[in-house]
């Protein structure tokens, strides 16, 4: 989910620097810049959660909750980031000729396989409340 979101964001950063509306690239609009900054921040947070869970596993420490938190956060983040990317491509975001439509569709599986979102929440809550 990290790589998928990063790929969508990379494509989108290039696209919004090329696409012009009202006589300027849409990346010049502060509203668009803020959305990209939010997406990049959430992506980085997910990446660090994943690295932290991997670090704990490598050190043979308990990584159950950190891994569940990483999966929960990353799958939601990927949906949100790829959804923003579709929005920023405008009408082209909906078309299969452009890459972000597939990133968006593929992001949905992250909340389902390898433990659904509800299962991650259950795992986290069970440990926190035991
Ligand atoms: C593309 C793809 C690849 C897959 N690859 C694999 C694979 O390689 N290996 C493998 O073993 N499986 C794989 N799966 C299966 C996947 O792991 C399951 O689809 C997933 O675990 C959800 O199970 P389910 O489809 O039976 O949904 P259900 O168990 O019917 O769940 C449906 C909904 O109900 C919720 N729910 C169910 N029980 C509870 C509960 N007790 N409390 C709260 N909410 C609950 C779920 O969170 C979900 O939102 C794959 C699925 C897909 C779509």
């Amino acid at each position: 989910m990290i790589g998928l979101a990063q790929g969508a964001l990379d494509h989108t950063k290039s696209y919004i620097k090329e696409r012009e509306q009202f006589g300027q690239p849409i990346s010049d609009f502060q509203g668009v810049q803020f959305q990209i900054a939010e997406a990049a921040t959430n992506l980085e947070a997910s990446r660090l959660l994943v690295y932290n869970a991997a670090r704990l596993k490598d050190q043979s420490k308990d990584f159950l909750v950190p891994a569940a938190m990483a999966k929960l956060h990353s799958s939601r983040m990927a949906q949100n980031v790829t959804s923003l990317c579709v929005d920023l491509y405008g009408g082209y975001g909906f078309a299969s000729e452009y890459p972000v439509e597939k990133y968006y569709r593929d992001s949905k599986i992250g909340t389902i396989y390898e433990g659904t979102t509800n299962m991650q929440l259950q795992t986290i809550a069970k440990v926190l409340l035991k």
Side-chain angles (χ1 to χ4, degrees):
M1 291 294 116
I2 305 292
L4 180 148
Q6 186 70 64
L9 198 57
D10 289 347
H11 278 289
T12 303
K13 282 191 290 185
S14 301
Y15 178 78
I16 62 175
K17 286 191 230 170
E18 284 172 17
R19 172 69 171 173
E20 293 197 2
Q21 286 292 34
F22 304 99
Q24 55 186 310
I26 56 176
S27 61
D28 282 0
F29 297 122
Q30 195 178 53
V32 171
Q33 292 171 0
F34 284 2
Q35 289 176 303
I36 291 290
E38 291 271 10
T41 303
N42 287 328
L43 174 53
E44 186 65 9
S46 282
R47 183 178 279 118
L48 295 177
L49 282 171
V50 170
Y51 285 169
N52 187 49
R55 178 184 63 85
L56 291 169
K57 182 174 188 306
D58 281 351
Q59 295 173 351
S60 301
K61 292 183 177 161
D62 190 4
F63 64 94
L64 178 64
V65 168
M69 287 176 170
K71 207 275 182 172
L72 175 72
H73 195 274
S74 303
S75 55
R76 285 177 169 170
M77 175 280 298
Q79 282 188 104
N80 293 336
V81 168
T82 57
S83 175
L84 170 69
C85 294
V86 169
D87 286 338
L88 290 179
Y89 266 75
Y92 291 136
F94 196 74
S96 56
E97 286 83 359
Y98 287 82
V100 290
E101 174 266 349
K102 178 149 171 50
Y103 283 122
Y104 181 50
R105 189 154 38 93
D106 285 354
S107 78
K108 194 56 232 171
I109 192 59
T111 62
I112 299 170
Y113 67 7
E114 301 295 334
T116 64
T117 290
N118 278 353
M119 291 303 116
Q120 306 307 328
L121 290 169
Q122 192 178 51
T123 298
I124 297 163
K126 210 183 257 182
V127 174
L128 291 182
L129 298 174
K130 83 175 172 201

